[in-house]
Amino acid sequence: MRRSPTVLGNSAMAVPVFNLAPGLNVSRLCLGTMTFGEQNSLTQSCCLMDEAFEAGINFFDTAEMYPVPQRSDTQGRSEEYLGLWLKYRKIPRDRVVLSTKVAGPSGQMTWIRGGPKCLDAANILQAIDDSLLRLQTDYIDLYQIHWPDRYVPMFGEIEYDPSRQFMSVPIEEQLDALGRAVDTGKIRFVGLSNETPYGVMKFLHLAEHHRHYPRIVSVQNAYSLLCRTFDSGLAECCHHGSISLLAYSPLAMGILSGKYFSPDGGPPDGRMNVFRGKYSEGESRYNLSNATIRSATKEYMEIAKRYNLTPVSLAIAFVLKHPLVASAIFGATKSWQLREVIDACQLPPVAYLAHTLLFKARYSLQVD
């Protein structure tokens, strides 16, 4: 059920909260930390978290592989910075919701448990212990499988290729390991990320028939004006399974802000410029040379202008008004970017009118 807006920080205007699970209330905006340790120093990261917390954001998302782009000498820094912030600022642990993720199979990130070659019980339990150390906490509120152990189309792929399937770790083994972590108090709730309708239903089915297996409470998948694959199949599964969507990349890697469409190609420190050619996942999904992406974004910018909104406000409003979205996970490297997203949570009715027109029409300009 949805809760009324509550002041979580000291701001006069609070970010509303959502009851994600029994005893787990999360702010409807979640600060993602994948720039912490790469684009943001420890000092800068702490300042951003200070401002977010004071504005009423209690939800912070990270992962063992962050920051991104991933490198062996920076792996884990995002979790470390989050843990140091909690320690230095003496933030009461029950005032924040910490979410992190275990990396799935990877042939590239050999510095994380040798790959990892698979996402079996040993990898999951080791990853939980390592994250607890970096976060300097006794428990993780929401622990997620970053991506499936089995082959699935993801990170911009939209077509399933049966020939790419391989032997994968049984979901039963993963749920058993996660259940043990819940029993010992190391994690409170379990979620999935970059999952498919099949995966969500499989996890739900197994949890319904095995008392020891924890039930997933959320799915963290991409969702924005440019990426609405969630609506084509996964939304039905989440609705009937009482699963909430944690929508990441609501601004489509910053493209929906419109900043990359200026004559000079956008700010030189913009993510898509800084890491051009080095961030395959982002570029495969949101290629700035793609005519459809450019056309769709420019059209959305015109709609925002028509209703006297910023493009960011329209994009965030679109995501937050989805009936299955619990929270929008966004990233920020600068204070003004953080404030722009927070302000989008306090929109006048005209923003929701614009959103309603877009949503009811199922606007055709989308990428995947």
Side-chain angles (χ1 to χ4, degrees), residues 48-202:
L48 287 170
M49 287 186 281
D50 283 343
E51 188 170 354
F53 187 69
E54 288 300 310
I57 293 176
N58 74 335
F59 195 12
F60 298 88
D61 181 74
T62 188
E64 66 168 342
M65 63 169 275
Y66 289 170
V68 174
Q70 54 270 28
R71 296 186 290 124
S72 60
D73 54 346
T74 59
Q75 184 260 320
R77 277 189 191 171
S78 298
E79 288 185 324
E80 290 173 357
Y81 284 10
L82 186 47
L84 289 170
W85 173 71
L86 289 170
K87 179 181 179 180
Y88 291 159
R89 300 295 195 258
K90 295 181 171 58
I91 306 294
R93 182 63 183 84
D94 61 358
R95 293 284 304 281
V96 296
V97 176
L98 299 184
S99 169
T100 191
K101 301 178 282 290
V102 55
S106 170
Q108 299 177 337
M109 292 184 290
T110 55
W111 52 87
I112 302 179
R113 298 183 306 282
K117 296 180 176 61
C118 67
L119 197 54
D120 58 9
N123 269 286
I124 291 173
L125 295 174
Q126 182 63 56
I128 291 172
D129 287 341
D130 292 344
S131 288
L132 288 170
L133 287 174
R134 286 189 291 265
L135 290 166
Q136 300 189 56
T137 186
D138 296 327
Y139 65 93
I140 296 163
D141 294 287
L142 178 64
Y143 197 70
Q144 303 160 99
I145 293 177
H146 207 153
W147 60 87
D149 181 84
R150 66 190 192 283
Y151 157 72
V152 298
M154 57 185 173
F155 302 133
E157 295 181 349
I158 57 175
E159 295 184 2
Y160 181 81
D161 181 359
S163 68
R164 295 175 63 184
Q165 189 56 263
F166 51 82
M167 291 294 294
S168 57
V169 174
I171 291 176
E172 291 90 336
E173 179 176 343
Q174 297 175 328
L175 280 171
D176 180 73
L178 293 167
R180 281 186 273 161
V182 171
D183 291 342
T184 58
K186 293 182 178 181
I187 60 177
R188 296 179 62 201
F189 297 97
V190 174
L192 303 174
S193 183
N194 298 299
E195 247 312 347
T196 66
Y198 169 83
V200 169
M201 295 308 296
K202 192 70 174 177

Side-chain angles (χ1 to χ4, degrees), residues 145 150 171-172 174-175 178 190-192 195-219 233-244:
I145 293 177
R150 66 190 192 283
I171 291 176
E172 291 90 336
Q174 297 175 328
L175 280 171
L178 293 167
V190 174
L192 303 174
E195 247 312 347
T196 66
Y198 169 83
V200 169
M201 295 308 296
K202 192 70 174 177
F203 273 88
L204 287 175
H205 176 78
L206 290 170
E208 287 174 358
H209 291 82
H210 296 80
R211 183 175 299 179
H212 169 68
Y213 295 165
R215 191 181 190 281
I216 62 170
V217 300
S218 62
V219 176
L234 195 50
E236 181 182 14
C237 297
C238 289
H239 171 66
H240 290 295
S242 299
I243 303 298
S244 295

Side-chain angles (χ1 to χ4, degrees), residues 12 28 39 60 69 83 115 159 170 181 189 191 227-228 243 252 267-268 285 303:
R28 300 214 64 211
Q39 289 175 270
F60 298 88
E159 295 184 2
F189 297 97
C227 179
R228 277 174 269 163
I243 303 298
R285 179 180 288 162
I303 292 172

Side-chain angles (χ1 to χ4, degrees), residues 3 8 24 31 36 38 65 74 96 218 241 319:
R3 299 292 181 86
L8 296 176
L24 187 65
L31 182 60
F36 294 179
E38 181 66 57
M65 63 169 275
T74 59
V96 296
S218 62
V319 171

